[in-house]
Amino acid sequence: MKAAPDTARPRWQRVLKRIASLILHQWLLIGMGVVCALAYCFPNVAKNGGIIRSEYSIMYGVIAIIFLISGLSIPRQKLISHALNWRLHLIVQVISFLFIPAVVLAIVHIILAADPGEKIDRAILAGYIFTACIPTTIASNVVMTRSAGGDDAAALVEVLLANILGPFVTAAWTISLIPKMAVFDPWRFGGGSLGSMYKEVFQQLGLSVLLPLFIGQLVRWSWPDRTALVLQKTKLPKLATFCLLLLIWATFSSCFATGALQTLSAQSIAFVILFNIILYITLTAVCFFCSRPPRIFSSRRWSKPIFKRMSPEETIAVCFCGPAKSTALGIPLLYAMWQPVDLFLKAKTSVPVLLYTTEQICVAHFFVQLFRWWHARIVEKEDLDDSTREDVEIAMAEDTRGDHAGRVHEHTTV
């Protein structure tokens, strides 16, 4: 009997094969570690205003590539149908702009009451209130939703809606939620002019999101079959996942370049890292519950439209869009809102934004695997139910034919 190919190979080859398989399956997570190390060692390369001018090359160029791929991949009908999906808008935007700020504000007041010695830096708390009020992230939602087998058209529509609302909602909402305490006066009374910020934000939204999306859709409408064939052969959607690493690189480079992370206390850093993970996981669970509530909630006729379960694909989109927050909009907005405030204080305030948006991608990487498994299981169950239903219908049809043949036989005999 011949030995299996794997056991016939030398041990070192089998070990190398396993390592290569692990790298291929977890390449995004490993890539995050690599770009974070590069950002720490060489922060001036990809920081805002650095060697590669990441505020243009990455915040415009890389995001434009992601949305060009989305425009090429998504059918026009799906975009239009989701633009009219009021329940999808309600769940994502209410969670993003109302539920998350309410939860974070409650936690901030609990910390203020339990930490009179200010072991947790107050700039971190102000930064969390700001983070809670910014819209969902521009790029990673669409990429993660697509990777998990969700409806990337739904994610794309929510990203566009949130980032159009964000500049108008975030500034006023943040200032109104800042605690009325003397220690928070720099953030309550240090407001800057938002005019230039609005120009910058909508310029970025137009050039890096709307324009490439429109070009991609135009190409798809003109040559639908050729476009689908090219996407399938070139595996172009996978390039969007690689683009996330460049966004993380630029984000951490700016963070390390300011020295904001290095000057924070160990308690503040530990709190931020752990709180981000717990908050993101909790918010994802809330989004899942709102998208697919228990059937008991829709048992009444009046409650069916409100508590109707979304499709698995839409549910995945909601779970990636609802908890996420945007660095691309958040950082320019933060620096524009508090322009007169000391640069070092602004850098510390930006730490929750920077770390939350980075950690959300790390945690979302694991949720991609979980949702992919859940989606496959749901589809398999639906296919099984459909086949069972078909078998029952065939059996009923055969019984009906048998009864009819029996009656004909009896009639003929008589």
Side-chain angles (χ1 to χ4, degrees):
M1 182 180 291
K2 291 183 179 180
D6 256 1
T7 57
R9 292 176 178 174
R11 179 181 177 82
W12 66 270
Q13 288 187 2
R14 297 200 302 271
V15 171
L16 284 178
K17 184 180 178 182
R18 289 179 183 175
I19 294 173
S21 177
L22 177 64
I23 292 173
L24 286 174
H25 281 87
Q26 304 296 333
W27 72 270
L28 182 61
L29 204 61
I30 295 171
M32 288 179 187
V34 171
V35 297
C36 287
L38 289 174
Y40 180 76
C41 296
F42 311 102
N44 292 324
V45 176
K47 72 174 184 178
N48 195 315
I51 295 173
I52 66 168
R53 303 288 294 190
S54 62
E55 67 271 25
Y56 301 112
S57 61
I58 291 180
M59 291 305 172
Y60 280 85
V62 169
I63 292 176
I65 291 172
I66 292 174
F67 282 93
L68 177 63
I69 294 171
S70 297
L72 294 169
S73 307
I74 299 172
R76 175 183 52 180
Q77 293 79 6
K78 289 180 71 175
L79 284 176
I80 295 173
S81 65
H82 286 307
L84 303 175
N85 190 341
W86 65 268
R87 188 161 175 262
L88 178 69
H89 304 329
L90 187 67
I91 291 176
V92 173
Q93 306 308 330
V94 166
I95 288 175
S96 185
F97 289 119
L98 293 179
F99 181 78
I100 297 177
V103 170
V104 170
L105 184 63
I107 293 171
V108 165
H109 280 286
I110 291 171
I111 293 171
L112 290 173
D115 181 33
E118 299 190 12
K119 292 181 179 179
I120 305 298
D121 198 302
R122 289 341 186 207
I124 295 294
L125 300 183
Y128 264 116
I129 293 175
F130 171 78
T131 304
C133 297
I134 60 179
T136 188
T137 186
I138 293 177
S140 61
N141 290 344
V142 180
V143 176
M144 295 295 183
T145 300
R146 185 187 299 122
S147 300
D151 194 331
D152 51 349
L156 181 56
V157 169
E158 295 312 306
V159 164
L160 292 175
L161 180 60
N163 282 271
I164 289 171
L165 293 174
F168 301 103
V169 173
T170 301
W173 198 211
T174 301
I175 298 302
S176 64
L177 294 182
I178 291 288
K180 308 295 189 293
M181 300 171 64
V183 71
F184 289 99
D185 284 350
W187 294 277
R188 288 175 56 217
F189 303 115
S193 173
L194 297 179
S196 60
M197 182 275 301
Y198 284 127
K199 179 183 176 182
E200 181 180 342
V201 166
F202 285 112
Q203 177 179 304
Q204 181 181 359
L205 192 65
L207 294 178
S208 64
V209 177
L210 296 177
L211 182 60
L213 178 65
F214 174 75
I215 293 172
Q217 284 285 286
L218 190 63
V219 172
R220 186 180 177 91
W221 298 347
S222 304
W223 303 283
D225 296 332
R226 291 182 184 178
T227 303
L229 185 63
V230 170
L231 287 173
Q232 183 180 2
K233 285 189 174 181
T234 59
K235 306 291 183 184
L236 198 58
K238 291 186 179 295
L239 177 62
T241 308
F242 173 75
C243 290
L244 286 181
L245 294 178
L246 298 179
L247 289 172
I248 295 171
W249 179 39
T251 300
F252 264 98
S253 294
S254 297
C255 192
F256 287 128
T258 60
L261 272 177
Q262 296 91 318
T263 57
L264 288 173
S265 66
Q267 294 93 329
S268 295
I269 293 294
F271 166 75
V272 170
I273 292 173
L274 293 175
F275 180 66
N276 287 344
I277 295 173
I278 295 170
L279 181 63
Y280 186 84
I281 293 174
T282 303
L283 293 174
T284 303
V286 170
C287 290
F288 186 86
F289 175 83
C290 292
S291 303
R292 293 179 72 85
R295 296 192 185 278
I296 190 172
F297 284 89
S298 58
S299 57
R300 305 273 183 179
R301 182 179 297 178
W302 61 269
S303 63
K304 280 184 180 179
I306 302 174
F307 295 104
K308 181 182 177 182
R309 284 188 160 194
M310 289 184 169
S311 68
E313 293 79 13
E314 289 182 352
T315 300
I316 292 171
V318 171
C319 289
F320 282 117
C321 289
K325 295 297 179 180
S326 170
T327 306
L329 177 64
I331 297 302
L333 185 56
L334 185 149
Y335 278 80
M337 279 177 59
W338 291 306
Q339 189 174 4
V341 175
D342 178 68
L343 178 61
F344 180 69
L345 191 60
K346 284 188 289 191
K348 287 204 295 184
T349 308
S350 70
V351 168
V353 185
L354 295 169
L355 289 187
Y356 183 83
T357 53
T358 304
E359 286 182 74
Q360 78 189 7
I361 296 176
C362 296
V363 179
H365 174 70
F366 293 100
F367 274 120
V368 165
Q369 313 301 324
L370 180 62
F371 280 122
R372 190 183 292 165
W373 169 83
W374 173 76
H375 181 253
R377 188 179 175 191
I378 292 291
V379 171
E380 183 181 352
K381 183 180 178 182
E382 289 176 351
D383 291 342
L384 184 62
D385 291 343
D386 290 341
S387 62
T388 304
R389 193 179 302 110
E390 288 177 4
D391 292 341
V392 171
E393 290 174 356
I394 292 171
M396 291 176 64
E398 289 177 351
D399 289 344
T400 302
R401 286 196 296 269
D403 292 343
H404 178 70
R407 287 195 295 272
V408 170
H409 178 71
E410 290 176 4
H411 179 71
T412 305
T413 304
V414 173

